[in-house]
Amino acid sequence: MHLEIVALESQHQPLFETLDLPPNTTYTLTRYTTTSTRDELHARVRNADIVIVTTVTLDAETLSHNVTPRLRYVIVSATGTDCVDLHSCKARAIRVCNCPGANLETVSEHAISLYFAARRRTILLDQVTRRQPSEWKQRGSVNTYMRLPDGTPPLTCGDEVLGIVGYGGLGKRIAAVGTALGMRVLVADRKPSSDPSSGHAQDAHRLPNGEGGRVPFNEVLQQATVIVLSLPRTPQTLNLLSAAEFEMMHPYAVLINIARGGIVDEAALVQALKEQRIAGYATDVFQVEPAGDSLDTPLLAEDAKDLNITLSPHLAWFSQRTIKNLGEILKATVEATIQGRDMNVIV
């Protein structure tokens, strides 16, 4: 048996040199640094048995028999699988696997760095200090730039209440770091649904666990002065935080998003910051990626430039440790899939 393996984004994927496969199984690995256009994508995957992807969208058309007649496996070189139409894969019995846990250390550290940047206004203070003529020299102090919406000084870690929304491996890691910094940690239960058929009551109940129990979602919004999002993007989590949620949040709250774009309603977020309903936002992810200007995201609009918004370009995962972990997990997952063993199976 010969397999055609196509890697669509080798700039994100630490690819294997060799695979340990059963006897009489061979493969060809074709790697592309990036795959940008739909025509490129369809031409490259047409004869693929296995596609390795990170961010390129594999939608229903791409996953149809007309475009990918030989496709048997999709391996996502990342934890999140929102770039793949899982329903279409399931309908065609295409196996989908991911590479979980490779970036836990790096992304959790990046989340904390975004917290400090948002709370301590690090980037703004750098700009103010460099600006000429010197406002610091003229005024003697520029501490007004660090003050909270009500004019009080910023909080320190020991006074923060950290709300974790999404308590998988990443959420647990962030909770541990927050605890080490002296924060009081609240783990959010699932957001209550207005649909009685969903099986979740309007008032979420407390669930016992080793950390002392989860807290209803709305209570976390009301109490937390730091909220970190570390949950997957699904149809149920799109716009999880929008205008109504920002109305509930603590006025000192800084919101940190190292999950996925689309979980936060960016337009509502900008409005909440303008109205000083929350204190700041820091994100590594965006509704549209790559984000180039205000047409992609209101976070880059001219009227948002003076708000407490800290941005990084979806690189929270990037580190030597992540690359090493990802390479090992990707290789093992591809080998297991070809050998017929379940490993990191999503569909």
Side-chain angles (χ1 to χ4, degrees):
M1 177 176 64
H2 183 80
L3 298 171
E4 292 291 336
I5 304 174
V6 176
L8 293 172
E9 306 165 82
S10 64
Q11 66 174 348
H12 300 314
Q13 299 155 351
L15 295 167
F16 40 84
E17 296 300 324
T18 60
L19 291 172
D20 182 14
L21 298 181
N24 302 320
T25 301
T26 59
Y27 70 93
T28 300
L29 172 62
T30 304
R31 52 184 92 198
Y32 299 97
T33 303
T34 60
T35 299
S36 302
T37 69
R38 197 167 186 78
D39 288 343
E40 277 184 348
L41 171 62
H42 287 187
R44 291 171 178 181
V45 299
R46 181 162 299 280
N47 295 315
D49 299 289
I50 301 173
V51 168
I52 301 173
V53 66
T54 301
T55 64
V56 170
T57 298
L58 303 183
D59 60 12
E61 182 187 2
T62 303
L63 294 165
S64 69
H65 188 270
N66 290 336
V67 177
T68 51
R70 294 175 48 176
L71 187 61
R72 297 164 56 193
Y73 310 108
V74 173
I75 313 295
V76 182
S77 183
T79 300
T81 58
D82 48 285
C83 62
V84 182
D85 186 327
L86 299 180
H87 178 76
S88 296
C89 288
K90 187 174 183 179
R92 284 190 60 197
I94 296 170
R95 181 64 60 89
V96 180
C97 303
N98 69 342
C99 297
N103 59 9
L104 294 185
E105 296 92 342
T106 305
V107 175
S108 59
E109 290 171 10
H110 195 87
I112 297 301
S113 77
L114 289 176
Y115 153 71
F116 280 116
R119 179 61 81 208
R120 302 295 301 175
R121 306 298 301 272
T122 311
I123 296 171
L124 175 61
L125 292 179
D126 176 83
Q127 296 169 351
V128 169
T129 306
R130 295 174 184 274
R131 192 178 297 156
Q132 296 296 323
S134 171
E135 186 177 355
W136 181 21
K137 191 92 170 171
Q138 291 173 351
R139 295 175 51 191
S141 175
V142 286
N143 66 28
T144 53
Y145 289 106
M146 293 187 71
R147 293 182 179 275
L148 291 164
D150 63 2
T152 57
L155 300 177
T156 53
C157 291
D159 296 318
E160 300 276 23
V161 179
L162 171 61
I164 305 291
V165 182
Y167 201 53
L170 180 57
K172 289 181 173 67
R173 172 82 178 182
I174 293 169
V177 176
T179 299
L181 288 170
M183 298 178 181
R184 181 164 70 93
V185 176
L186 304 177
V187 178
D189 202 352
R190 189 172 301 187
K191 182 179 181 179
S193 172
S194 58
D195 178 5
S197 66
S198 69
H200 301 287
Q202 274 286 32
D203 293 319
H205 58 282
R206 297 179 186 273
L207 300 178
N209 62 21
E211 288 71 33
R214 298 185 184 233
V215 177
F217 180 83
N218 290 349
E219 288 188 23
V220 171
L221 294 189
Q222 293 162 1
Q223 296 182 42
T225 57
V226 184
I227 296 176
V228 178
L229 302 178
S230 53
L231 70 167
R233 181 176 63 194
T234 67
Q236 292 71 39
T237 63
L238 286 174
N239 288 332
L240 183 78
L241 296 185
S242 191
E245 288 71 37
F246 295 128
E247 287 281 0
M248 297 182 201
M249 287 169 63
H250 196 291
Y252 292 175
V254 291
L255 175 63
I256 313 300
N257 189 359
I258 39 78
R260 280 292 187 271
I263 295 174
V264 173
D265 180 339
E266 292 175 348
L269 179 280
V270 168
Q271 190 62 33
L273 286 170
K274 287 179 179 178
E275 296 174 4
Q276 296 189 332
R277 280 182 269 139
I278 64 173
Y281 181 57
T283 187
D284 188 56
V285 293
F286 302 83
Q287 290 174 183
V288 175
E289 294 184 2
D293 55 31
S294 60
L295 296 177
D296 295 325
T297 172
L299 302 175
L300 293 175
E302 183 69 19
D303 64 353
K305 69 177 184 179
D306 293 327
L307 301 174
N308 185 13
I309 298 175
T310 303
L311 308 175
S312 63
H314 207 147
L315 286 174
W317 64 277
F318 193 58
S319 72
Q320 293 183 19
R321 180 180 288 271
T322 297
I323 295 298
K324 179 179 183 295
N325 292 345
L326 195 56
E328 292 172 352
I329 297 170
L330 178 62
K331 181 177 186 295
T333 302
V334 173
E335 290 174 345
T337 300
I338 294 172
Q339 294 166 11
R341 295 184 288 110
D342 285 348
M343 183 174 182
N344 302 325
V345 176
I346 302 299
V347 169

